[in-house]
Amino acid sequence: MTGASVAVFLVLLFAPGLSSVLKSIAFRIRAAGKAELVRAEREPVGNAPGGRRTRKRGRHG
C-alpha cells in the first residue's frame, strides 16, 4: 500500500467517530450561545458597571 492509500484508509476508518465528535462540539457551541442569549434577556437594564446590580434605596435604606 502506498502512503496515500494508507491515509485514505485511515480517514475512512475514523470518519464516523470524528463526525460524532464534531457534531458534539457544534452542539455545545450552539447551547452556550443560546444560554448567553437567555441570560442577556433576563438581565435588568439598570446594571452597574462590573456586572453588579444597583440597589435603589427607599425609606428603609
Side-chain angles (χ1 to χ4, degrees), residues 12-52:
L12 292 175
L13 182 66
F14 292 114
L18 184 61
S19 174
S20 66
V21 168
L22 291 175
K23 286 180 184 177
S24 175
I25 292 170
F27 177 80
R28 288 174 184 241
I29 290 171
R30 282 193 303 271
K34 287 179 184 178
E36 188 173 342
L37 287 175
V38 169
R39 269 186 247 116
E41 288 174 356
R42 289 183 183 173
E43 190 174 301
V45 177
N47 278 355
R52 295 187 178 179

